Amino acid sequence: MGPRLHVALDRLRLDGQPFALDEGASRHIQVLRLQPGDGIRLFDGQGQEWGAEVTDMGRKVVQVRLGERVANDRELPVRVTLAVGMPANDRMDAVVEKATELGVGAIQPLVCARSVLRLDGERAAKKVAHWQAVAVSASEQCGRAVVPQVHAVQSLAGWLKQDGASPVATHRGVLSLRDALPVRGWLTSQAAQASAGAGPNWCFLNGPEGGLAPEEESLALAQGWTAVSLGRRVLRADTAPLAVLSVMAALFEG
């Protein structure tokens, strides 16, 4: 099959004519020592994928030509957003990478009351661009033709206010250590509502190291979120959102 590479839709030539890959993708092809005529796969990050072939190996730029569309059905049957109080020490990189592999639809990085990692302004924008690149690489590796979006960093209170005014998901769960509903039972109940037409969009909110502050969780619950539990063990901030994605895949993909 050859390597899979993400190429933005506005760079693709859909008319069968050769076009240049960007510098990063070209370098990847060169490192692999591919030659004209070798096959690769290209996807646009929005669900479309094509077979392609290398047509020219320049010193800095590689030219390729699209071939036939390739069926790619590797998405979860529901859309899941993870709203994550950003863990520190590069653990957020792992959350983005593994969540992409597990089928997440979008990731919302949040600054919470107990956050160790606090980002704003240019530093936040650079981190989001880095995490988006991590999501691209993970999609290339795991076979997805969709790249999940990493949204701009927001404060939890600001995001909840925005979310409360215009809900992004029909089913919203706070991963909680309180007296919470077992996640399996809650998911089964909510899935039954989804089957009855309640909607396929889900969102899970998880705090940073130390969890959400009581007032933060209370604010979410007051806006219609449900406290759900992943079990008897206390999971790290970078483990819990991945665990719930695994449960979602097991439930909805059978």
Side-chain angles (χ1 to χ4, degrees):
M1 180 178 71
R4 298 179 72 251
L5 296 173
H6 171 255
V7 178
L9 182 59
D10 59 3
R11 293 189 65 95
L12 293 168
R13 287 288 300 267
L14 304 179
D15 58 2
Q17 296 300 309
F19 63 94
L21 297 176
D22 63 24
E23 186 176 340
S26 293
R27 188 183 312 113
H28 185 75
I29 295 294
Q30 290 165 337
V31 167
L32 293 175
R33 299 183 182 276
L34 298 185
Q35 299 299 320
D38 286 342
I40 59 175
R41 291 279 183 92
L42 301 179
F43 66 98
D44 65 359
Q46 300 176 38
Q48 299 183 94
E49 183 166 343
W50 296 264
E53 69 170 354
V54 177
T55 61
D56 183 72
M57 295 288 291
R59 293 184 62 183
K60 291 187 176 182
V61 175
V62 173
Q63 298 268 342
V64 299
R65 178 188 293 113
L66 289 185
E68 296 294 323
R69 281 276 302 273
V70 176
N72 187 320
D73 184 19
R74 291 189 171 142
E75 297 305 303
L76 290 176
V78 293
R79 179 175 173 81
V80 182
T81 297
L82 292 180
V84 181
M86 299 175 291
N89 300 323
D90 295 326
R91 290 181 183 271
M92 188 67 177
D93 286 28
V95 170
V96 173
E97 179 183 77
K98 302 308 179 186
T100 299
E101 292 177 19
L102 290 166
V104 75
I107 297 172
Q108 174 61 65
L110 296 171
V111 177
C112 304
R114 295 173 176 169
S115 291
V116 175
L117 180 61
R118 293 181 174 273
L119 300 172
D120 57 19
E122 184 178 352
R123 185 164 171 249
K126 287 182 178 179
K127 273 293 188 181
V128 168
H130 167 73
W131 292 326
Q132 192 66 66
V134 170
V136 167
S137 295
S139 294
E140 290 176 342
Q141 179 274 324
C142 74
R144 293 181 66 181
V146 173
V147 176
Q149 182 179 2
V150 182
H151 294 294
V153 175
Q154 294 194 51
S155 70
L156 174 59
W159 181 75
L160 280 175
K161 182 178 180 181
Q162 170 187 315
D163 178 60
S166 178
V168 296
T170 307
H171 316 284
R172 298 180 290 173
V174 181
L175 303 183
S176 175
L177 298 175
R178 289 188 181 184
D179 183 16
L181 296 176
V183 70
R184 182 175 62 179
W186 182 75
L187 286 173
T188 301
S189 172
Q190 295 294 298
Q193 293 182 30
S195 297
N201 296 320
W202 300 70
C203 186
F204 293 93
L205 170 61
N206 188 64
E209 296 90 343
L212 296 172
E215 58 272 18
E216 291 176 323
E217 188 168 335
S218 295
L219 178 60
L221 298 180
Q223 293 191 6
W225 293 68
T226 301
V228 295
S229 168
L230 287 167
R232 299 174 183 176
R233 291 156 301 284
V234 177
L235 303 183
R236 287 183 177 272
D238 53 321
T239 303
L242 303 180
V244 79
L245 273 175
S246 297
V247 173
M248 294 288 287
L251 175 64
F252 287 101
E253 292 188 321

